[in-house]
Amino acid sequence: MSKVVVVGDFHAALSVHTERLPRPYQSVPGTGLATGGAGRGTVQAVAAARLGAAVTFIGRVGTDIHAQVATQLYQTENINIEFLVRDHSAPTGVNLTFHDPEGKWQSAYAPGANARLTASDVERGQRAIAAADVLVTQLGVPQAAVKRALELAREHNVRSVFKPTPFAPIEPATITLADLVTPNEDELRELALNVNPQDAPQKQITVCTLGAKGAQFFQRQGGQMKTDRVAGFQKRPVDVRGAGDVFSAALAVALAEGQALTDAIRFANAAGALSVTLRGSVAGAPSRAAVDALVATVQKPSVQP
């Protein structure tokens, strides 16, 4: 079984369905209050676990009732939380979303303890990182923690996947530590403003997600930049939130299992496509059987220049 470590965030997710979204200074009645887990790091961890990896999660929650939501979710998904820090000074992160009948939504979140994850917290999980096949992280936690996670992965020769979301200006020294970077199109443009692509490490691979169009990857070979597109899968979207995180986790699992890059991207494309068919970022993380079945519908490798 492949081993994946995720360094990231947890948010207790509260969602309400309303007849219409509230306007400024307005309160509207809602129905169907639902609670659960969310957070980009949590989506990555759950997705990797459902795809068959042994997952360890490194993050921070409070000691409130929302922390119990986190631990219950991780236990249900068989995710190791030995290095999940309980913060006695900050609450667990919370995300509140309103949905209207047409599928439009508004969301607000308070990061809480997520914003207090430190490089030292990550270092306490060094043993797990050293034993992993792949490390996955994103910007749901402070960049100091992200950078230390990527440094430890590099020190222990562990492959790393970095999803630069939610996007914020990033130190070039942090980006260049990652073996694979998985931005969407908007994030790729923002990254170009932070780091000159020519300054990226020789072995770094950028995989840009394109939704139903698949993904485009960029890789230096022989002093030149090679780029190919791996076709995606058409699925009717219900909720696209979390698709990029599911993609990143699936890519990590496939690479940890030794799949070739284009096969790993195809596997990740399938996982991302399936994730948009259900409402809820965590709920949308697909099973291994579902992803394998979708990948099997491709008779031949579908790589476009």
Side-chain angles (χ1 to χ4, degrees):
M1 179 180 289
S2 60
K3 297 179 181 179
V4 173
V5 171
V6 176
V7 176
D9 56 331
F10 172 85
H11 287 87
L14 291 82
S15 63
V16 177
H17 291 267
T18 60
E19 291 186 1
R20 58 182 174 79
L21 299 178
R23 294 191 294 270
Y25 312 110
Q26 188 178 55
S27 179
V28 296
T31 60
L33 173 66
T35 60
R40 298 182 184 279
T42 295
V43 174
Q44 292 173 343
V46 170
R50 291 182 184 174
L51 293 173
V55 179
T56 295
F57 183 80
I58 299 175
R60 209 175 243 264
V61 296
T63 57
D64 49 24
I65 191 170
H66 294 311
Q68 297 175 27
V69 177
T71 55
Q72 183 175 353
L73 172 64
Y74 297 138
Q75 289 168 359
T76 298
E77 300 293 342
N78 295 314
I79 294 169
N80 176 20
I81 53 173
E82 178 183 356
F83 305 106
L84 179 65
V85 180
R86 273 70 169 183
D87 193 313
H88 293 270
S89 301
T92 303
V94 174
N95 184 89
L96 176 61
T97 304
F98 298 99
H99 301 271
D100 76 2
E102 297 179 358
K104 296 192 293 291
W105 53 272
Q106 292 176 341
S107 181
Y109 69 95
N114 293 305
R116 291 163 56 88
L117 188 71
T118 66
S120 295
D121 293 333
V122 175
E123 286 174 358
R124 279 193 282 272
Q126 181 170 179
R127 171 169 49 85
I129 294 173
D133 296 300
V134 181
L135 169 92
V136 184
T137 190
Q138 65 326 111
L139 294 174
V141 292
Q143 289 190 34
V146 172
K147 183 178 182 181
R148 188 62 186 133
L150 293 171
E151 286 174 341
L152 289 172
R154 180 66 58 87
E155 290 171 15
H156 293 286
N157 295 313
V158 173
R159 209 165 190 179
S160 59
V161 175
F162 171 49
K163 170 70 174 166
T165 186
F167 192 85
I170 309 167
E171 292 183 5
T174 298
I175 300 172
T176 55
L177 287 166
D179 295 310
L180 290 99
V181 183
T182 56
N184 60 28
E185 292 178 274
D186 290 337
E187 292 159 354
L188 183 62
R189 283 190 287 269
E190 294 289 348
L191 279 175
L193 299 176
N194 280 256
V195 179
N196 186 332
Q198 298 303 318
D199 294 336
Q202 286 291 327
K203 294 183 178 180
Q204 187 177 78
I205 301 170
T206 298
V207 185
C208 179
T209 55
L210 305 170
K213 297 178 183 178
Q216 189 92 14
F217 71 90
F218 305 86
Q219 183 179 25
R220 241 193 224 110
Q221 288 187 350
Q224 295 184 338
M225 188 69 75
K226 175 188 176 183
T227 178
D228 280 309
R229 180 177 294 183
V230 180
F233 297 85
Q234 297 291 329
K235 290 291 180 181
R236 182 180 178 85
V238 174
D239 187 350
V240 300
R241 292 175 299 165
D245 296 306
V246 170
F247 176 95
S248 299
L251 181 65
V253 171
L255 292 172
E257 293 174 352
Q259 293 189 36
L261 179 62
T262 53
D263 292 332
I265 294 174
R266 185 173 300 105
F267 181 85
N269 282 341
L274 289 168
S275 75
V276 306
T277 62
L278 293 175
R279 192 173 299 282
S281 55
V282 169
S287 68
R288 179 61 182 255
V291 175
D292 285 342
L294 185 55
V295 171
T297 64
V298 180
Q299 298 299 317
K300 295 180 179 180
S302 180
V303 180
Q304 304 172 0

